[in-house]
Amino acid sequence: SSSIEKELLEPLKFGAFSWLMRARIDLSIDDKNQLDAMLRVPRFALNEMFFAEADASRPTVHETTTPHSGTLVQRSSGVIVSTGTGSTAWMSSASMVSKPDINRILSAAGLHLSDEGLDRVTTRVNSDCVYSPSSTELQYFVREPVMNGWYGRHDEPLSVSPRRGFTDTIKIKSLGWGQTKLTVDGLRSFTVPYGSTVTAKIAPKANWLRTIVLQQN
């Protein structure tokens, strides 16, 4: 239609746009049950990957490793790892702290703010949840980590921290005996057997998605 031509085609024709490169996630699975076979996941994730049990009622037990936090054993409802593009979607709703929760914490500390003041604090607290699609960092978030308990037979305590952070590489080892799955952009799932490790890192720039941003009138 003429409106589509005016709003989309004409800016493209006259160069009234800028390029935006969107990073994607390169994923691999080190399958310990297949003679240390390294499986390259046959698609890059544009938004996020999700590591969890196929049965949502079962806790996910995993060993999480990043360059900053080292190696930690956790039991949770799963781990989300996103790009800057994905930070505006599921990651944003999962990791943001709600206004009522912030109000409850401030009230417990003896601080009582107006509704407008609470809005400002909530915005400030959640300001880094969304970041640039061209960032070379991944954001990760551990959903509902078990706050107490022990792992295994050696009285190794479970860790609830870090729950969220940024990194260039994250490794997640499956320690659950259920059916652990790696889901890519909510479209395809891959089984992660016990003892196998998922490695997520930013894909080479040659594999980034090239998009356009139309200039505003």
Side-chain angles (χ1 to χ4, degrees):
S1 66
S2 59
S3 62
I4 294 179
E5 181 178 352
K6 182 178 180 180
E7 294 177 12
L8 179 60
L9 298 183
E10 284 190 3
L12 293 177
K13 179 179 178 180
F14 295 106
F17 65 90
S18 58
W19 293 107
L20 175 63
M21 300 300 294
R22 295 181 180 271
R24 298 199 286 179
I25 308 175
D26 188 2
L27 296 161
S28 61
I29 302 174
D30 182 7
D31 189 346
K32 293 299 183 183
N33 298 316
Q34 298 292 329
L35 299 178
D36 292 340
M38 180 67 74
L39 168 65
R40 174 81 177 276
V41 175
R43 68 176 295 137
F44 297 105
L46 175 62
N47 293 302
E48 74 276 314
M49 55 143 280
F50 183 48
F51 179 98
E53 288 289 329
D55 182 350
S57 68
R58 296 177 63 96
T60 304
V61 185
H62 48 89
E63 181 183 272
T64 307
T65 304
T66 70
H68 307 294
S69 66
T71 299
L72 303 168
V73 175
Q74 297 175 305
R75 183 179 284 116
S76 71
S77 295
V79 184
I80 306 171
V81 180
S82 83
T83 61
T85 297
S87 70
T88 64
W90 186 14
M91 174 64 82
S92 177
S93 62
S95 62
M96 282 189 174
V97 184
S98 70
K99 181 178 174 180
D101 282 343
I102 290 178
N103 185 39
R104 182 165 55 89
I105 293 169
L106 292 176
S107 296
L111 300 174
H112 302 280
L113 302 182
S114 66
D115 195 63
E116 183 178 340
L118 276 175
D119 284 337
R120 287 196 300 267
V121 172
T122 302
T123 299
R124 191 178 310 131
V125 168
N126 294 316
S127 61
D128 66 341
C129 290
V130 176
Y131 62 110
S132 171
S134 301
S135 173
T136 56
E137 285 192 308
L138 299 171
Q139 182 177 186
Y140 65 91
F141 181 73
V142 181
R143 301 178 66 211
E144 301 172 323
V146 173
M147 305 301 288
N148 54 31
W150 301 83
Y151 167 70
R153 300 178 180 177
H154 306 291
D155 288 339
E156 180 181 353
L158 292 169
S159 175
V160 298
S161 181
R163 185 180 183 187
R164 172 177 172 265
F166 292 85
T167 184
D168 56 359
T169 304
I170 184 169
K171 296 178 181 289
I172 309 173
K173 183 177 181 180
S174 173
L175 297 176
W177 291 102
Q179 191 176 28
T180 306
K181 293 287 188 178
L182 167 66
T183 303
V184 181
D185 283 338
L187 298 174
R188 292 190 61 182
S189 294
F190 305 86
T191 299
V192 186
Y194 177 88
S196 299
T197 301
V198 172
T199 299
K201 59 185 179 180
I202 291 292
K205 288 190 175 183
N207 301 114
W208 289 19
L209 189 64
R210 190 179 183 92
T211 63
I212 62 170
V213 179
L214 298 179
Q215 294 179 5
Q216 299 295 322
N217 293 327

